[in-house]
Amino acid sequence: MPQAPRADPPIAEFPRDAEVLIVGAGASGAVAAKRLAEEGFRVVCLEQGGWVDHGDFRGGYPDGELVALKEFHPNPNVRANTWDYPVNDIDSEIRPFMYNAVGGSTILFGAQWMRLLPSDFRVRTLDGIADDWPITYEDLEPFYRQVDEDFGASGLAGNPAYPPSPEPPLPPLPIGRLGYRAAQALDRLGWHWWPGTNAIASRPYRGRRPCVQRGVCETGCAEGAKASTDLTHWPLAIAAGARLVTGARVKEITVDERGLATGAIFADLNGQDHRVRADVVLLAANGIGTPRLLLASQSARFPFGLANSSGLVGRRLMHHPYVTVRVVVDEDLGTNGAAGHALTSLQFYETDRERGFVRGAKWGFYPSGGPLAIAANHLSGSWQGDVRDHVRSRLGRSFVLSITAEDLPDESNRVELDSEQSDAAGIPAPKVTYHASENTTAVLRWNLAMARTFLAAVDAVDADVSERVANAGWHLLGTARMGDDPESSVVDRWNRAHDVPNLLIVDGSSFVTAGAVNPCATIAALSLRAVDHLNRTKRLITVPL
Amino acid sequence: MADSDDRLTPDQRDSLSSLADLLLPRTADMPSASEIGIGHEQLDRVLAARPDLEVPLKEIADAESRTDSRATLELLRRHLPRQYRAFCEYVVGGYFMSKTVRGLLNYKGQEAQPIDVYELPSYLEDETLQRVVDRGPIYRTASPGTTDPRKAAPKSEALMGDPSQ
């Protein structure tokens, strides 16, 4: 079982001063901490969770799926650990996911490691909707390369859905018989597919063991093959001098009379408040935690929350709504195991207006999982027929096609402070309001029709088609968007808050649009780009003295 | 951890077994829930993994003792979705954790399958992937001064050289 975080370091040894204070030890915080510590900055990171013992992961044990429905569930409301915070999602069609620990949500992510496409940065220009990013794919490409190395991406260069790029550092994971069967069907249709790129080691890599394809990535990787940043980044960051404080709930970013960030107030595990002074503050608390903290950091100078002169903090929340098709075939493909996404298809990613909507979807192909994954509908109460027949017909003989739609920004989809709920430290909980747009719904509907064509091509004998999945809030994006205009964005092209020159937001909050691919590689690349710029311009930044 | 006997009384265990058999009765080729010990050793295994289920399962067992099993199950299904879900997780989770059941399904769990680093992917060997490459780029670009790669569509390089080399 996951253990409650310890006060680490002991309270008496808490650091009180930093050049750069980072809030959140997940993907973006870890990337920033490592780079800045290696550049010689005095870095302190505050993380409300603790270190996860990978020996606690149960995926390889008979009770693994059952444990994953509670202790390692990605929904903090389900886990309800004392070190989580509740999320009021009653007005959200999608339930937000996150994991609060060193490594953050990379502890439980699927490790699908995909870049945004060039068109994703130019949605307004190309499709006349949403907004362009102030940066391009080419601006981010060098940082994609670096995070590929740092996370140990396994994949194959040459994907014609992308501009040319170097080989990832590791060869692709096997696509298995499921991937090959799906690839053959896509080939017959003349549709795009490519072996999945995953942040999972296919070979020994920088001290990590290679994947053994148990197919339990999303309940924690006991092998240490998956690139969670508690393995890939934090040991290096700490060795370079970064100080990581666990069990630290940040209540407020403090500011001075000039409107500059001066550090943070955080509560320890006993509820006692502490203050850390910093020259620069980086927020890396995810697309819900970061706006929550900004909105909670109200002052006479910032009465509507910090960095919120645009009114956009917490607005434009984007997810990646998806539907799934469990494809049942007439042979045992051994699909309860394997890892990551076996392959992807971006055949329907780019806009084709003849389809009746703009933007598109990513198709991903995954193993079936174990009995409880197959029996998910039975567990949720929609018990129809004998679950044993259902499981027997699908265990090892099915795979999952997941169709992920691009979600467009909408200011009515938002994160606010809840007026009633709060966490153990008394910090108001976030309240999330989210409804998928008509365009998103149309993307999914049209792609489901195409999935039926695929089912015929793959000679499926049966299929379970889901409604839009509610337990789908893996990707929390857009709630402090990037842009050049302070009136219509929260951070600039270098992830600096327009209103607060020494405050950076380096997590998925800064996304302008969401694309339809898994965002972790982009979150990591953006964070690296932001701190690379911070390092190069540090003398130009106005900081408290 | 509390001893299993402290958790539920024999009567509560029997009640849960009776309820579970309504969901998973014996069939021609599969045992019933009670036959694989759903109220006993499997219940203990479930509660060891999911101690949070103890309270709802006790409540369900006590409710069953006050009325008949079918009525209790119907009450759960129609009016108590959270408790019903807890019950389903216990029954289905406990059932598929059973060695007997796994043997009948020929399911060995989420086993390790180490990667064969010398295996050449079939998609390279039979050139399935090469055909994807040969169809050319499918991405759009909007960078000033660049040509849409889908229109330029240069013939792609071979993915790899002769595998025998």
Side-chain angles (χ1 to χ4, degrees):
Chain A
M1 298 290 168
Q3 302 297 310
R6 293 180 292 112
D8 181 19
I11 292 171
E13 298 172 20
F14 279 168
R16 308 291 173 185
D17 185 82
E19 285 180 289
V20 181
L21 176 68
I22 301 172
V23 180
S28 59
V31 166
K34 174 177 175 291
R35 178 59 186 270
L36 291 171
E38 288 173 345
E39 292 291 342
F41 285 85
R42 281 186 297 111
V43 174
V44 172
C45 178
L46 302 175
E47 165 57 48
Q48 70 182 69
W51 288 90
V52 176
D53 182 347
H54 286 226
D56 287 337
F57 295 144
R58 299 293 298 174
Y61 295 89
D63 62 7
E65 287 192 287
L66 202 53
V67 172
L69 292 171
K70 177 66 177 175
E71 302 292 346
F72 287 110
H73 199 289
N75 185 337
N77 293 343
V78 174
R79 291 191 307 272
N81 291 320
T82 55
W83 59 94
D84 287 316
Y85 55 82
V87 177
N88 181 343
D89 59 8
I90 195 167
D91 289 326
S92 177
E93 293 174 0
I94 289 180
R95 289 190 268 282
F97 289 171
M98 65 186 73
Y99 199 73
N100 296 306
V102 178
S105 297
T106 63
I107 298 292
L108 296 184
F109 82 148
Q112 297 148 50
W113 196 252
M114 299 187 72
R115 300 178 178 193
L116 287 172
L117 277 67
S119 67
D120 289 324
F121 296 86
R122 288 289 177 270
V123 175
R124 167 62 69 177
T125 297
L126 290 169
D127 297 321
I129 196 167
D131 302 279
D132 289 347
W133 292 54
I135 63 174
T136 65
Y137 176 89
E138 290 74 19
D139 291 329
L140 205 52
E141 205 278 337
F143 301 95
Y144 276 131
R145 291 191 197 193
Q146 186 60 51
V147 296
D148 283 356
E149 297 286 335
D150 293 343
F151 282 76
S154 296
L156 190 64
N159 187 345
Y162 285 93
S165 61
E167 286 287 353
L170 294 167
L173 294 165
I175 68 170
R177 282 176 282 166
L178 91 87
Y180 192 61
R181 180 146 176 168
Q184 294 284 308
L186 293 165
D187 186 50
R188 283 192 285 278
L189 293 166
W191 292 357
H192 170 266
W193 68 275
W194 202 256
T197 305
N198 297 285
I200 299 172
S202 60
R203 304 286 188 273
Y205 189 75
R206 297 186 180 178
R208 282 156 53 202
R209 290 190 294 271
C211 177
V212 294
Q213 306 185 91
R214 287 188 194 274
V216 296
C217 311
E218 293 179 4
T219 63
C221 176
E223 292 298 320
K226 190 178 78 170
S228 53
T229 57
D230 59 328
L231 301 179
T232 56
H233 286 69
W234 278 111
L236 297 171
I238 291 169
R243 299 196 68 187
L244 174 57
V245 182
T246 56
R249 292 176 186 274
V250 178
K251 304 174 82 167
E252 179 185 347
I253 303 302
T254 53
V255 294
D256 65 11
E257 66 282 359
R258 294 172 296 168
L260 295 172
T262 57
I265 298 170
F266 69 96
D268 67 24
L269 291 168
N270 299 317
Q272 185 181 346
D273 285 355
H274 304 267
R275 187 182 290 265
V276 181
R277 193 208 67 80
D279 294 339
V280 178
V281 176
L282 267 63
L283 298 187
N286 83 42
I288 287 181
T290 286
R292 174 196 185 213
L293 179 54
L294 290 170
L295 292 170
S297 299
Q298 296 178 4
S299 61
R301 188 180 180 103
F302 299 106
F304 303 108
L306 194 58
N308 196 23
S309 66
S310 65
L312 287 174
V313 168
R315 299 278 170 172
R316 296 166 60 104
L317 172 67
M318 293 173 284
H319 290 293
H320 279 138
Y322 66 86
V323 293
T324 62
V325 181
R326 180 176 292 281
V327 182
V328 187
V329 296
D330 58 357
E331 62 175 327
D332 187 347
L333 299 172
T335 51
N336 50 292
H341 54 175
L343 50 95
T344 55
S345 173
L346 298 181
Q347 180 68 29
F348 306 119
Y349 194 92
E350 302 281 12
T351 295
D352 179 345
R353 289 188 177 276
E354 291 184 3
R355 297 171 188 157
F357 53 83
V358 294
R359 313 304 295 161
K362 182 204 91 170
W363 290 24
F365 297 83
Y366 306 84
S368 70
L372 297 197
I374 293 169
N377 286 339
H378 294 77
L379 294 177
S380 67
S382 49
W383 188 290
Q384 293 180 336
D386 193 316
V387 67
R388 293 167 292 191
D389 295 338
H390 187 74
V391 169
R392 189 200 296 271
S393 65
R394 283 151 174 76
L395 190 62
R397 306 173 74 86
S398 65
F399 59 88
V400 175
L401 161 59
S402 175
I403 299 172
T404 305
E406 174 161 350
D407 206 12
L408 293 169
D410 178 342
E411 290 186 17
S412 64
N413 290 330
R414 62 193 185 274
V415 177
E416 302 167 292
L417 296 181
D418 193 79
S419 58
E420 296 179 4
Q421 291 189 78
S422 59
D423 69 9
I427 307 168
K431 181 183 188 306
V432 177
T433 302
Y434 175 84
H435 303 284
S437 70
E438 287 183 17
N439 192 76
T440 301
T441 302
V443 171
L444 292 174
R445 189 186 306 122
W446 187 90
N447 276 270
L448 267 180
M450 291 300 102
R452 293 192 176 89
T453 302
F454 171 77
L455 288 172
V458 81
D459 293 326
V461 297
D462 202 353
D464 308 325
V465 180
S466 77
E467 299 292 324
R468 193 170 68 232
V469 179
N471 276 314
W474 291 97
H475 306 153
L476 309 171
L477 306 169
T479 47
R481 68 153 291 196
M482 177 189 284
D484 288 332
D485 180 0
E487 292 189 3
S488 60
S489 58
V490 178
V491 298
D492 69 11
R493 60 178 56 209
W494 302 107
N495 292 73
R496 299 175 303 197
H498 289 299
D499 299 350
V500 186
N502 64 337
L503 175 70
L504 280 73
I505 297 171
V506 297
D507 55 36
S509 305
S510 71
F511 276 44
V512 179
T513 54
V517 299
N518 309 69
C520 193
T522 302
I523 291 171
L526 283 171
S527 178
L528 188 61
R529 179 176 178 274
V531 297
D532 179 75
H533 183 262
L534 173 64
N535 180 44
R536 285 189 284 108
T537 61
K538 56 190 173 188
R539 288 184 178 79
L540 305 177
I541 295 177
T542 306
V543 296
L545 298 173
Chain B
M1 182 182 296
D3 184 85
S4 60
D5 289 342
D6 296 334
R7 285 182 156 156
L8 288 98
T9 66
D11 286 347
Q12 287 172 324
R13 290 169 177 274
D14 289 343
S15 293
L16 292 174
S17 286
S18 299
L19 277 173
D21 275 353
L22 293 177
L23 292 181
L24 297 176
R26 186 175 194 175
T27 65
D29 50 7
M30 296 298 284
S32 68
S34 60
E35 285 173 319
I36 58 93
I38 199 69
H40 299 279
E41 63 267 31
Q42 291 308 108
L43 174 57
D44 294 335
R45 294 180 75 193
V46 168
L47 291 181
R50 293 286 306 279
D52 60 293
L53 295 178
E54 182 173 339
V55 169
L57 290 181
K58 279 182 174 174
E59 292 171 352
I60 291 165
D62 291 343
E64 196 273 350
S65 69
R66 293 192 293 270
T67 179
D68 67 89
S69 298
R70 288 193 184 283
T72 303
L73 194 61
E74 199 57 23
L75 173 72
L76 291 174
R77 195 193 326 254
R78 287 180 178 274
H79 301 296
L80 299 168
R82 292 184 69 168
Q83 286 88 340
Y84 185 61
R85 177 170 178 105
F87 183 68
C88 289
E89 289 186 5
Y90 149 61
V91 174
V92 179
Y95 192 84
F96 286 111
M97 280 166 61
S98 157
K99 282 185 182 174
T100 302
V101 170
R102 288 181 172 221
L104 290 167
L105 293 173
N106 194 29
Y107 174 58
K108 297 174 182 170
Q110 299 302 109
E111 289 188 298
Q113 306 169 53
I115 294 168
D116 179 357
V117 298
Y118 299 107
E119 182 181 10
L120 181 66
S122 302
Y123 55 79
L124 293 180
E125 206 163 19
D126 66 8
E127 300 200 333
T128 308
L129 193 62
Q130 187 64 49
R131 288 192 284 279
V132 179
V133 176
D134 289 344
R135 287 197 285 273
I138 62 168
Y139 65 92
R140 293 185 294 170
T141 183
S143 299
T146 58
T147 306
D148 187 333
R150 296 173 300 175
K151 292 171 183 163
K155 189 71 174 175
S156 303
E157 296 290 325
L159 269 176
M160 58 181 297
D162 183 346
S164 66
Q165 296 299 303

